[in-house]
Amino acid sequence: QIIPVYDKPMIYYPLSVLMLADIKDFLIISTPEHIDSFKRLFGNGSIMGINISYKIQEHPNGIAECFLLAEDFLDGSECALILGDNIFYGPMFEKTLLKISKKKDRNTIFAYRVSDPERFGVIEFDKNNFITSIKEKPRNPKSNFAVTGLYFYDNQVVKFAKKLKPSKRGELEITDLNELYLKS
């Protein structure tokens, strides 16, 4: 995420998405090998008008582990999660982000139509565009909508993350977390 994309390091793109959602407090979670690169790049974030804290994920235990690592940082508040290697854009995007970040029931997953959904987490919708299922890399996808790596959660996310069991890959899967939300 430090590699330049156009005129800035990749990590600037996902940070700017969350800044568009009027988020000011950030926790960057990275590996022991890479955390210092982020610290050198951003410091405490004050130069950008935000607050940045850091946490190390010692082993690749899955994306959903970030909520366990962030428990003290979140301190019972709602949150957003964005993966560090994504670029989002589009008409009305900022307005959409602000609307979601201000909602009480803010649990939201961003999805995008793809031609090869079997490579991604796939979301199936009902006729009213409510999510009916989320499957990780299904052999026979029920839709062409892939999970993108941008999520908004309520203040129950740590509680739900604590219920997760490691997958066959030995990771706490974000898809499993999202399925828990679907069932609640």
Side-chain angles (χ1 to χ4, degrees), residues 50-167:
I50 59 177
N51 305 305
I52 300 177
S53 299
Y54 300 90
K55 194 77 169 188
I56 293 173
Q57 184 180 33
E58 294 289 344
H59 305 285
N61 295 326
I63 295 169
E65 184 187 40
C66 75
F67 298 108
L68 302 179
L69 295 171
E71 183 175 13
D72 291 339
F73 174 82
L74 292 174
D75 193 28
S77 66
E78 60 278 334
C79 64
L81 167 67
I82 190 167
L83 302 184
D85 58 356
N86 288 328
I87 297 176
F88 290 87
Y89 66 94
M92 306 296 287
F93 187 55
E94 181 177 2
K95 189 174 183 176
T96 300
L97 290 170
L98 285 169
K99 182 180 174 184
I100 292 166
S101 70
K102 303 296 181 213
K103 287 184 351 179
K104 284 190 180 206
D105 179 20
R106 66 187 283 152
N107 300 319
T108 303
I109 300 171
F110 280 72
Y112 187 76
R113 188 184 306 266
V114 297
S115 60
D116 52 353
E118 63 282 349
R119 294 182 42 225
F120 304 95
V122 175
I123 297 178
E124 181 183 10
F125 299 97
D126 66 16
K127 63 183 178 186
N128 296 315
N129 286 327
F130 287 101
I131 298 172
T132 58
S133 73
I134 305 169
K135 299 295 177 208
E136 187 66 31
K137 298 178 181 146
R139 287 190 181 153
N140 300 307
K142 294 185 177 185
S143 86
N144 284 358
F145 284 93
V147 177
T148 61
L150 175 56
Y151 315 86
F152 285 79
Y153 293 104
D154 63 16
N155 63 355
Q156 300 298 305
V157 70
V158 172
K159 180 179 89 171
F160 279 106
K162 287 180 177 182
K163 294 179 181 182
L164 296 176
K165 303 289 184 235
S167 67

